[in-house]
Amino acid sequence: MYTNAYTCFMLIETLSVREAREQLPTVLERFRNGDRTPVGVGSHRKTEAVMVPVEVFDELIAERARSITEAAASVRAEGLVVDSDTEAITEQWARGEISTAQMREMVRRLYGAP
């Protein structure tokens, strides 16, 4: 391990690619035993990817889906409608296919907003 890095306000252990390759069986065993601590992977002292147990990933995706459902309900409560293009973009975000920044940019472009 060569660094600890803050990712989204969480201190995580970051392994080099070589270390991640060597320690992957150990990391998977930790996850199987209930450890939910994310493990970063990267080079040059920069976290480039994060490994988490699949249950954590599923929870994150479910939370995104709940956020979209709540936002759509709020829009409907105001008497408005979410168009299909916006729904498609937010569904991509909910599945983790695009980042939050990408989602925001795509929606802004869709409506011609700066």
Side-chain angles (χ1 to χ4, degrees), residues 66-85:
R66 277 191 296 276
S67 295
I68 290 171
T69 299
E70 290 172 6
S74 178
V75 168
R76 283 192 305 277
E78 294 177 23
L80 303 171
V81 177
V82 178
D83 67 54
S84 61
D85 290 335

Side-chain angles (χ1 to χ4, degrees), residues 2-62:
Y2 60 81
T3 186
N4 285 327
Y6 285 96
T7 302
C8 292
F9 311 107
M10 178 185 290
L11 185 65
I12 65 169
E13 170 187 15
T14 299
L15 305 173
S16 69
V17 174
R18 179 187 56 77
E19 290 170 323
R21 190 179 308 115
E22 292 169 356
Q23 295 182 32
L24 183 58
T26 303
V27 171
L28 290 174
E29 188 62 30
R30 284 176 32 196
F31 291 167
R32 287 183 195 115
N33 290 327
D35 187 343
R36 296 169 55 93
T37 307
V39 177
V41 179
S43 58
H44 308 293
R45 303 200 182 282
K46 180 181 178 205
T47 304
E48 299 174 84
V50 178
M51 293 185 285
V52 295
V54 72
E55 293 84 10
V56 171
F57 181 78
D58 289 343
E59 289 169 8
L60 294 170
I61 297 301

